[in-house]
Each structure stands twice: as C-alpha cells, then as structure tokens.
Amino acid sequence: MSYTDRARPYSHYLAHHLDNGNLNPDILNPLLERPLTEADFTAFADWQHLQETENEEELARQLRLLRRYVMAHMITRDLCRLSDLAEVTGTITRFADFAVNIALDFSYTYYQGLYGTPIGRYTREPQHLSVVAMGKAGGYELNVSSDIDLIFVYQEGGDTDGKRERSNQEFFTKVGQKLIALLNDITGDGQVFRVDMRLRPDGDAGALVLSETALEQYLITQGREWERYAWCKGRVVTPYRNDITGLVRPFVFRKYLDFNAYEAMRGLHKQIRQEVSKRGMADNVKLGAGGIREVEFIAQIFQMIRGGQNKSLQLKGTQETLIKLAEAGILEQENVNELLKAYRFLRDVEHRLQYWDDQQTQMLPQNPEQQQRLAESMGFADYEAFSDRLQQHRKLVNTLFNQILTEPEEQNKEKGHELAGIWEQTLDEGEREGQLAALGFTDPQSVVDRLEQLRHSNKYRQLSSRAHQRFDAVVPQFIEAAAQTGNPDATLLRLLDFLESISRRSSYLAFLHEYPNELKRLADIMGQSAWVAAYLQRHPILLDELLSAQLMETECDWPKLRAELAEALEAQEDTEGRMDALRHFQHAQVFRLAVQDLAGLWEVEALSDQLSFLADTILSLTLDYAWRDMPKKHAETPSFAIIGYGKLGGKELGYTSDLDLVFLFDDDHPDAPDVYGKFARRLTTWLSGNTGAGSLYDVDLRLRPNGESGYLIHTVAAFEKYQRESAWTWEHQSLTRARYICGSQAIGEAFENIRRQILTEHRDTMELRCEIIAMREKMFPTHPPLQSDVKYARGGVVDVEFIVQYLVLSKSADCPELLENYGNIALLRMAAQRGLISPDLAEQARIAYRYYRKQQHNTKLRDAKKAEVDDLLLSHYAAVKALWREVFGEEPADH
C-alpha cells in the first residue's frame, strides 16, 4: 500500500484531490521520501519568469498549486508517521515565508514600474517593505490550515522617484494590499493563506503599513501587555535591512525581572476563557482548559518575566523555550518533559482535525465516523481510549498552568489577613503591641514605631493604587513570617527595610504578591543574616533566585557555569550590558552559596573553594571581554596574565574579600606598555566599577612591585628582577600564597617558575626568623593582639599564616611539596609529615585554624558576635603559640 493510500482514510481533503486528479503522482511521490526544503519550493515553477512578465494570474495560480502539493506532502508524511511535529510546522512555516517573499517581490516590482522606487527622506536610500510574521508563523509553529498574522513595516518616510510620485506610505500600502490579495484571495485553485493583519498597531483601524519610527512611537506610548505577548514571537521573514528587532526588544523584554507580566497574562487568559465559555468550546484542544494555548502561556510568561535579564530565553518556539526553561532551572525538568509530551500530542490532534477537510479548526469531532478515524490516526483502537489519553494530557497541562498562573490565594480575601490590623491601624497602639507580644516580639513598641514611620513615609504615600494594595497585603504576611523565626524583631525590621527599598519597583512588589509562600524562606534567610539581608536590599533582583530549582544544589559544574556566563556575555550588545551580566551572574552565585551556607550545607574550606572558583571564572571572562572592548590594540590575544595574591591566591576567599591582584605582560611591541597599562585600568573598572547592577569586587593592587608607587603593570622580566633584587621578606611571604589565575598560559608558567625559584632560595634561617617576627610585631599599633580578635590575637590566624610562610621560605628547597598552593591547613600537615614540626602541635594548629576561620565566617554571615574568650578559644591560642615557640624558638610577644 502506498503512503497516500495509507493516509487517504484520515483526510477528505487529500482523498478529494487524489480522486480528482489534482495531484500528479510523478511530482508528489518522490517528494514523500524526504522533508521539503526551500529548494523544492523554488524549483516548482519559474518564479523569476513570472515576475519578469508580470503574469500575476499565473503566479497566483502556481502558489496555490504549490500549496496543494505541500499540504499533500505534509498530510501523508505525518499520518504515515514519517515526520514529527517539528517537520510539519517547520515545513508549512518555511512555505509561508517563501510565499510571502514571492508575493512581496512581485508586488514591489509591479508598483515600482508605476511610481518609481521609494526613497528615504533622510538617508536618500531605496526603501523596502519588511514583513513581520507573528504568532505561530513567527515561532515556526504554523498549522497546516493556519492563517498567517503579518505586520508590514518600512524603514523611513519619503517619496518615490518616478514621474507619478507617491509617498512611501501610499506606495507600501498598495504593495501590502497586492501581497495580501496574492495570498488571501480564493480562486478556482483555492487559497494560499488566509492573511490576518489585526495584530498591527491599532488593529483594523490602523494603517496597513507603518514606518519604523511610527512603530517605535506606538509601542512606547500605546503598546499594551497583550501586544508584548504577541511580539514575543515576532519574526522578520524578509531579507531587507531593518531595525525592527532592536526597537521591539525593549518593549517585549524589560530590562529587569517583570513579575507584573503575571497579572497581564492572567487577564489575557481570563478574557480567552470567558470567550471560550460563551461559545461552548470546552472541546477545543487549543483554547479549552489544558489546551495548546495554556502550554504556550506557560512558556511565554517566563519569557516575558525573565527574557530581559536572560537573553537565552528570547526564543520564538514554544518547545525550545520550554527546554531552555528546564536548562535554566526555572521549571522542573520532569514538568517540562510532561508539558512537551502533552504539547506534541495536542498539536498532532490539532493537525489531524485540520487534515480532515482543510479547515482551521481545533474542535473535537461529534461525528462518530470522524471520531473513530481521529483515534486511529493517533494510534488508538477507539475514540474512548484516545479521549482518555487526551484528558490525561489536558489535566496535567491545566494543573501546571493553574500552579503557575492562577491568582495567589490571599488569606481570607474578604476579611483580610488576621494581622492586618497591626498595619492598617484598625487597632489602638496597645492592642497592636499586645498582638505583637503574643506573637513573640520582644520589643513590640519599636516594631509599632517602625510600622508607623513606614506608613507615613513619602515612598509609601507615593505608591500607585495597585502598588498600595500589594504593599498592604505583604506587610501582615511579613509580620507573620518574622514571628516564625528565632529572631522576630530583627527579622521584621530587615524585611520592612527591604520592602521600603523596593517599594517603587512594582515588579518586586508583584513578586512578593505572586509568591506568598516564598516569604517564609525570605524571612528565614533575613532572620539569620544581616549581611544577606543587606545584600538582597542592594540586589533585589536576586529574589528570583528563591524560585530556582537549583537554589539548594551544592554540586557546581564550573566549566558549564562559565559557558553559560560566556553565552550571556556574547548576547550583550555593549560594554555596560556585559558588565551588568557579569554582576548578575556573580551576585546570583554568591547568594546561592550564602543560602546554602545558612542551611549548613558547606564547610568553610569548601565554601572558600567555591568562592575562589567563582572569582577565577569572573576574572577569566572579564579579561577576555575587556580585551575585546579595547579600542586600540596591537594583538588579537593579549600577552597578559592576572596573578592572585592573598585570600584569592590561597583559595580562602570569603563573601566580602577583596581581590589582591598583580598584572604581568610579556610583549616586545613598542605600544605594549601603553596598551596594557590602559587595559589594566579598564580591567580594574570592569571589576570594581559600579553600574546599575552594582559592583563585582574591591580590587587591591598594592602587592605589585613597589606597591602604590610602582607601575600598574610589569613585564615578566621586571617582576623577576624585582623579586630577586628588591623585594622585602614580607613580599616573599606574600608570594607563598600567589597563583596564576588567567590570561596567557606562557606568562602563568613563567610566573610559577619565578615563584618557585624565589621561594626555594637558600636563606639564613636565623635572619629570616628575625625578619618575620619583626614584621609580625609591626602590626601591633594598627592591629593590637586582642584576645577577642581571632585574626590578630597572639596564637590567632595571622600567627598560623606566618608560621606556614616561614616554613615555606626556609624549607621548600628541601621539601618542594610546600610550594604547592594547597592552603595553610594542608601545608601544616605536609610539614609535620616531613618532620619539620611536631605532628601533635601541627594537628592542634590545624584544628585551631579551622575554628578561627569558622568564627570569622559566622561573624560575617550569621550575625555572630566576636569570638567569646572562653576556655576553648584560649586553648586554641595556646596550641598555636606552642607551635610558634617550636618554630621560632621564642615566646610570641604581645606588645
């Protein structure tokens, strides 16, 4: 049985054309063996000849005949399961693009002969009409019987240069009208596509064509939320130069996370649901509950909310968007898999409904014969089995849709939140304080005072009515959430400070309104850490991270994260965009690590490793893109490297650590010193400069040769000369923790060779001891060795570091393993294994150092006060001081 015979029972349209000889088997059958391409459309007729002879009637006829073969090809291959959904929708969309361009070329040439070429008023260049495909045509998702939604745009106003002069507006209006007629008119050969122009500005009441300036002005002043939704899929299908994408993108994809989109999409869907209900369209697989439209809404709601921040979401197709949402952790992979299965099933059903008689329908059939045929074409024995599977898919889609888009339940909407009286002042002050005290607040009067101050603040008074509603709904929820934490007073005050700081950003209020369940997590985080609360206040965009499925995943694939950041940087169009992308990425990773840290998922050393990986990643990509951004440079790749010192070099970074950097280059070009000097300043600006997205790191360059009085950059040779001839002992101490970070690999290797040579030089150990002891004691005036300060106390962090640095400088010539930058804890163990220090004292010092770092860490992250001077702390100090005595042969002085 041939393919067409197998497909015939499921399509009256196909059977009709086969039976009436409207399809030549010699043309059709070879095409059925493979997907169609544009080359097949081009070869179908002599389009160029039809254009040149201005044979409009024959051109229209050939387009309709081609459509008949395309339809037969798609119907047959799909029903015989030779193709998948992507081939079906891709084929009809490519055909639509082809037909639009053929019709446009003909129409333009026709009127050009009558009126001349349209010329731009300002550029004086010939003008062309750009056609934008909207909806399914824009997303390469056309149905076999779809109409095509189009918008016509030309670059600029002006007039034609012919004897019968016309304005560009008049000229392109005529071109557009003829294009529509060539595709839309029904002749004896049928129709190519129904053309729908209602998505253009002002719809049927608007001009058929408009200039780019008019389109931009309309979107800025009158563009509505449903038009943002529509323009998500807008795709220019013509080849002529235009700026349409650039002027539409900021309208569709807002610069910041746009949670207001929920309300707009919810309203749009509500209108559609009401219309469906009025028309009794529950059996509509597109518009009914759990139908195709709901899957599309799920994909596009996240595009509209996050597309401005995450350019990888600025996609056209529903399936590719859902896949990207799973990759980004915005939707659970399991949910996306189910949505994709449902979407493909529903689209297959939709196509089979349209194959039956080439009608644009999504309604399930009532006729028993057609029901049975539909079931069989979908691979089911009967309609009941088919219906069961269809309902399973629709139920799942509708459930997920409701979870995402249904309006959040506000506690007792009509009565209001039970704590609303505290905020709305419907209770007197004593009652409010009593209610707060009952909730566990220890200083209810201060809380009431803060609420009063917030309610009468200018920021609150100036909110819009909608923002007021959201603000008023959130405050009682904040009170309730704070009361459930271990520190209600401080938590609520932090939450209120945060709320006040974001009050003018309606999108963040919308987030809190849309995700009431996330308030508990937000309160818990802020209750534990003033630092994280302040970090969120500076970077409220991080609220979105609370929704990420990957928030609590501790396994970090840094090469993959680096690739994602590189992709985000590549998508940016300017320096500011790239600097912002770096900051958004870094802030998101720091916040993720901090939340996991608060949950007890990290040890201090492992966390420092992660923060160091993050810094390395940022530095590497910043170097790459800042160099690309250099206006005048003599080489494609810089012979330049970044060396990390201090906490970065030792991989002991904390959340607020600055980066101690040294810049080296190795380049004989005469312009090299000047170019790399400018590059170093640019790098520093990229890293430490403030943009609208904040800053990355504080950069400290004082460890370079000659410190602040030295050059910003140094050649490898100059660096080596300095280290050999001029460096102080403390600079060699610093070198023990230095490492190559990124840039030229050759410079990195040269640096490491220099470092090893310098550190393994034979030194007078007695002189070295004296110098290191003297250096430690020089710290006392500025950093007195108080026992409450674990860093500078005798027996504290600095003493451990000085012991290790002495061991590296004095012993690494004989013990080269000490040169490896493994961190102080590992180096103490290695020194003990080589018999350089007592194993017992080394282990006690390791335990003490871990304890100190944890104390320092908790002071920053967990609101911990300075270390309590108790027996435990004093015993750690004693252990380190004992090791000091063993290594240096004298008691550690403390004055």
Side-chain angles (χ1 to χ4, degrees):
M1 184 184 292
S2 69
Y3 289 137
T4 51
D5 287 340
R6 285 165 56 188
R8 173 197 293 267
Y10 309 110
S11 172
H12 282 178
Y13 170 86
L14 179 63
H16 167 78
H17 283 296
L18 289 170
D19 292 343
N20 286 280
N22 295 334
L23 293 165
N24 184 339
D26 293 336
I27 297 174
L28 177 61
N29 289 339
L31 295 175
L32 296 176
E33 298 299 325
R34 57 178 175 77
L36 291 178
T37 66
E38 187 174 342
D40 295 309
F41 307 149
T42 302
F44 186 80
D46 190 344
W47 305 106
Q48 185 174 350
H49 178 71
L50 294 173
Q51 300 272 10
E52 290 170 351
T53 58
E54 295 188 0
N55 192 338
E56 182 175 345
E57 183 178 344
E58 183 60 18
L59 182 135
R61 177 172 176 273
Q62 289 298 327
L63 281 172
R64 283 155 179 77
L65 292 179
L66 174 56
R67 193 246 180 196
R68 188 181 300 163
Y69 280 95
V70 172
M71 284 285 290
H73 173 275
M74 286 188 303
I75 290 171
T76 303
R77 280 182 60 83
D78 191 11
L79 289 172
C80 293
R81 294 295 183 183
L82 300 174
S83 64
D84 59 11
L85 175 61
E87 182 188 322
V88 174
T89 57
T91 299
I92 192 66
T93 304
R94 285 189 292 274
F95 171 57
D97 290 356
F98 176 82
V100 165
N101 277 284
I102 289 290
L104 175 60
D105 289 348
F106 183 90
S107 304
Y108 184 91
T109 302
Y110 178 86
Y111 286 109
Q112 190 179 34
L114 294 176
Y115 305 121
T117 300
I119 301 298
R121 182 174 294 116
Y122 304 107
T123 63
R124 307 309 302 166
E125 293 178 353
Q127 300 293 294
H128 290 277
L129 188 68
S130 291
V131 179
V132 184
M134 306 289 282
K136 284 185 164 56
Y140 281 97
E141 295 174 338
L142 274 180
N143 295 319
V144 288
S145 301
S146 283
D147 55 9
I148 53 175
D149 296 290
L150 303 179
I151 294 177
F152 298 149
V153 185
Y154 60 94
Q155 278 193 291
E156 62 176 311
D159 301 291
T160 61
D161 62 1
K163 292 181 180 178
R164 299 168 62 186
E165 182 183 287
R166 292 290 186 274
S167 70
N168 290 354
Q169 179 74 24
E170 293 176 271
F171 178 87
F172 286 120
T173 297
K174 289 181 177 294
V175 170
Q177 288 169 339
K178 184 169 285 293
L179 184 158
I180 292 169
L182 281 167
L183 301 180
N184 189 76
D185 286 358
I186 299 174
T187 70
D189 297 302
Q191 184 182 45
V192 188
F193 285 101
R194 291 176 294 276
V195 178
D196 191 335
M197 301 296 298
R198 290 175 297 175
L199 290 180
R200 69 186 188 268
D202 294 317
D204 287 337
L208 185 68
V209 302
L210 71 165
S211 68
E212 288 183 6
T213 301
L215 173 62
E216 183 175 30
Q217 188 65 23
Y218 173 84
L219 295 178
I220 291 171
T221 60
Q222 300 179 57
R224 289 156 289 183
E225 288 295 329
W226 70 262
E227 288 175 295
R228 286 182 62 203
Y229 175 78
W231 274 100
C232 260
K233 290 185 179 292
R235 178 175 62 88
V236 179
V237 302
T238 45
Y240 309 112
R241 185 167 62 86
N242 66 84
D243 296 315
I244 295 169
T245 300
L247 64 89
V248 168
R249 183 183 289 121
F251 167 67
V252 178
F253 300 111
R254 302 294 161 83
K255 186 174 182 182
Y256 298 100
L257 293 168
D258 185 17
F259 290 99
N260 288 310
Y262 272 114
E263 194 170 347
M265 296 287 276
R266 192 179 289 128
L268 178 59
H269 187 262
K270 193 177 291 184
Q271 292 175 17
I272 295 170
R273 276 277 177 89
Q274 289 171 349
E275 192 65 24
V276 169
S277 178
K278 284 180 191 174
R279 298 184 182 180
M281 297 169 70
D283 282 343
N284 189 304
V285 297
K286 176 182 179 181
L287 301 179
I292 295 165
R293 178 62 58 84
E294 289 190 354
V295 183
E296 295 171 341
F297 265 52
I298 289 170
Q300 285 192 255
I301 182 68
F302 291 110
Q303 283 184 293
M304 291 178 69
I305 291 170
R306 295 177 171 82
Q309 280 291 313
N310 186 348
K311 292 196 175 183
S312 69
L313 293 176
Q314 293 182 14
L315 303 169
K316 303 302 181 186
T318 300
Q319 293 191 77
E320 60 181 337
T321 300
L322 288 171
I323 291 168
K324 183 60 72 173
L325 289 170
E327 289 176 2
I330 295 169
L331 288 178
E332 295 282 357
Q333 183 67 58
E334 183 180 351
N335 289 341
V336 166
N337 292 342
E338 294 299 328
L339 284 170
L340 288 170
K341 275 194 248 177
Y343 179 75
R344 290 161 186 159
F345 187 92
L346 290 164
R347 292 299 304 271
D348 280 353
V349 172
E350 180 183 38
H351 287 150
R352 280 149 181 74
L353 294 173
Q354 296 177 358
Y355 293 158
W356 187 253
D357 208 17
D358 190 22
Q359 296 295 312
Q360 188 185 17
T361 180
Q362 288 89 18
M363 292 296 292
L364 293 169
Q366 301 302 310
N367 178 288
E369 179 200 354
Q370 191 181 350
Q371 287 180 340
Q372 182 61 27
R373 294 295 190 191
L374 173 61
E376 290 172 6
S377 71
M378 288 294 295
F380 293 89
D382 54 48
Y383 191 70
E384 183 179 359
F386 160 76
S387 293
D388 287 346
R389 180 67 57 80
L390 174 63
Q391 293 311 311
Q392 287 175 17
H393 285 306
R394 290 182 65 170
K395 182 178 180 182
L396 179 135
V397 170
N398 188 239
T399 299
L400 290 174
F401 175 85
N402 286 333
Q403 288 174 1
I404 292 167
L405 210 63
T406 296
E407 190 162 359
E409 290 180 11
E410 294 173 19
Q411 293 187 8
N412 238 322
K413 259 190 182 178
E414 292 161 11
K415 292 160 102 186
H417 194 286
E418 60 183 5
L419 300 178
I422 297 175
W423 167 244
E424 294 171 2
Q425 300 180 330
T426 54
L427 305 173
D428 64 36
E429 186 171 336
E431 289 174 316
R432 280 180 278 161
E433 290 182 13
Q435 201 167 359
L436 288 166
L439 289 168
F441 288 88
T442 58
D443 189 0
Q445 184 177 346
S446 294
V447 173
V448 168
D449 290 345
R450 178 68 179 101
L451 291 169
E452 290 271 5
Q453 182 268 324
L454 181 58
R455 193 172 188 86
H456 293 95
S457 67
N458 287 332
K459 284 187 178 180
Y460 177 76
R461 288 177 175 179
Q462 292 169 7
L463 294 176
S464 67
S465 59
R466 182 61 180 142
H468 259 134
Q469 292 173 10
R470 288 172 172 167
F471 197 105
D472 291 345
V474 165
V475 174
Q477 292 174 295
F478 271 3
I479 296 171
E480 181 181 42
Q484 295 171 12
T485 67
N487 190 7
D489 298 70
T491 302
L492 180 57
L493 293 177
R494 290 168 189 171
L495 287 168
L496 295 177
D497 288 345
F498 175 72
L499 184 60
E500 186 174 24
S501 72
I502 65 166
S503 60
R504 291 184 181 176
R505 298 289 292 278
S506 61
S507 188
Y508 296 133
L509 287 177
F511 173 94
L512 296 170
H513 180 69
E514 295 292 342
Y515 293 100
N517 291 335
E518 298 307 315
L519 288 178
K520 291 181 181 178
R521 177 179 276 185
L522 182 63
D524 182 58
I525 291 169
M526 287 196 168
Q528 291 184 70
S529 176
W531 180 81
V532 175
Y535 199 75
L536 266 172
Q537 195 165 321
R538 289 197 306 275
H539 311 299
I541 197 171
L542 296 173
L543 275 176
D544 185 53
E545 295 298 317
L546 294 175
L547 302 176
S548 171
Q550 299 164 348
L551 180 63
M552 302 307 286
E553 290 181 8
T554 56
E555 294 211 6
C556 296
D557 185 342
W558 284 105
K560 180 182 177 184
L561 287 170
R562 188 188 191 283
E564 289 174 0
L565 176 56
E567 182 183 346
L569 290 168
E570 204 62 48
Q572 302 302 318
E573 298 168 356
D574 54 29
T575 298
E576 184 180 359
R578 292 190 179 98
M579 290 175 71
D580 283 351
L582 286 164
R583 283 152 177 74
H584 291 314
F585 175 85
Q586 194 255 11
H587 298 158
Q589 298 306 318
V590 168
F591 180 69
R592 176 181 62 82
L593 289 169
V595 172
Q596 293 173 1
D597 195 359
L598 288 171
L601 301 180
W602 288 106
E603 294 294 333
V604 176
E605 295 100 305
L607 178 76
S608 290
D609 286 341
Q610 295 300 311
L611 291 170
S612 299
F613 285 135
L614 173 59
D616 289 359
T617 301
I618 294 290
L619 287 168
S620 173
L621 286 170
T622 300
L623 187 150
D624 290 347
Y625 282 88
W627 181 255
R628 286 196 203 181
D629 196 51
M630 284 288 289
K632 293 180 181 178
K633 54 195 175 190
H634 59 285
E636 281 301 307
T637 304
S639 186
F640 183 98
I642 298 177
I643 308 300
Y645 276 69
K647 291 188 182 300
L648 174 64
K651 296 185 181 178
E652 292 185 349
L653 281 183
Y655 291 113
T656 59
S657 298
D658 56 10
L659 302 185
D660 292 298
L661 305 179
V662 169
F663 300 136
L664 300 180
F665 75 99
D666 190 18
D667 194 326
D668 295 332
H669 193 281
D671 295 337
D674 183 53
V675 170
Y676 290 126
K678 290 177 180 175
F679 179 51
R681 288 189 287 275
R682 184 178 293 266
L683 260 179
T684 305
T685 299
W686 274 56
L687 291 169
S688 58
N690 270 298
T691 73
S695 65
L696 283 171
Y697 296 100
D698 289 329
V699 173
D700 191 336
L701 304 175
R702 291 174 296 176
L703 288 178
R704 66 186 186 269
N706 293 310
E708 290 180 304
S709 63
Y711 293 114
L712 196 59
I713 57 169
H714 292 79
T715 65
V716 173
F719 178 80
E720 180 176 11
K721 179 179 174 63
Y722 179 85
Q723 291 294 335
R724 290 192 185 281
E725 300 177 6
S726 307
W728 296 82
T729 298
W730 69 263
E731 291 177 288
H732 287 172
Q733 288 178 248
S734 298
L735 199 58
T736 66
R737 305 182 73 191
R739 64 185 175 93
Y740 160 76
I741 303 294
C742 60
S744 164
Q745 189 71 40
I747 294 177
E749 291 172 1
F751 164 78
E752 184 57 24
N753 286 333
I754 294 167
R755 174 180 174 273
R756 287 175 176 267
Q757 290 171 19
I758 296 297
L759 296 182
T760 55
E761 286 181 352
H762 286 283
R763 293 173 170 85
D764 182 320
T765 55
M766 184 59 68
E767 183 180 340
L768 179 62
R769 285 178 190 173
C770 292
E771 289 179 354
I772 289 181
I773 290 170
M775 180 59 60
R776 176 68 182 96
E777 292 177 359
K778 281 181 182 178
M779 295 181 174
F780 292 167
T782 52
H783 300 291
L786 304 174
Q787 288 187 331
S788 59
D789 186 344
V790 296
K791 181 173 183 179
Y792 292 105
R794 292 321 310 251
V797 170
V798 174
D799 282 355
V800 175
E801 292 173 346
F802 271 46
I803 290 169
V804 171
Q805 290 161 12
Y806 168 78
L807 291 171
V808 173
L809 290 173
S810 63
K811 306 296 184 183
S812 57
D814 300 317
C815 305
E817 63 267 34
L818 295 179
L819 294 171
E820 304 303 330
N821 207 329
Y822 292 139
N824 292 311
I825 292 174
L827 290 173
L828 285 169
R829 176 178 50 79
M830 292 161 68
Q833 288 173 343
R834 289 299 297 264
L836 304 179
I837 54 178
S838 160
D840 288 343
L841 288 178
E843 182 58 27
Q844 290 174 41
R846 281 156 51 87
I847 293 169
Y849 192 70
R850 278 200 184 94
Y851 180 81
Y852 301 153
R853 288 196 61 198
K854 190 170 184 180
Q855 292 297 313
Q856 290 177 308
H857 186 68
N858 288 341
T859 300
K860 172 57 65 179
L861 182 69
R862 289 186 170 83
D863 298 348
K865 297 177 182 177
K866 284 205 169 186
E868 183 181 347
V869 183
D870 55 15
D871 290 342
L872 177 61
L873 180 61
L874 292 175
S875 69
H876 288 315
Y877 287 159
V880 174
K881 285 193 278 189
L883 182 58
W884 180 281
R885 283 192 299 274
E886 179 182 273
V887 171
F888 291 106
E890 64 177 61
E891 197 73 31
D894 58 2
H895 59 276

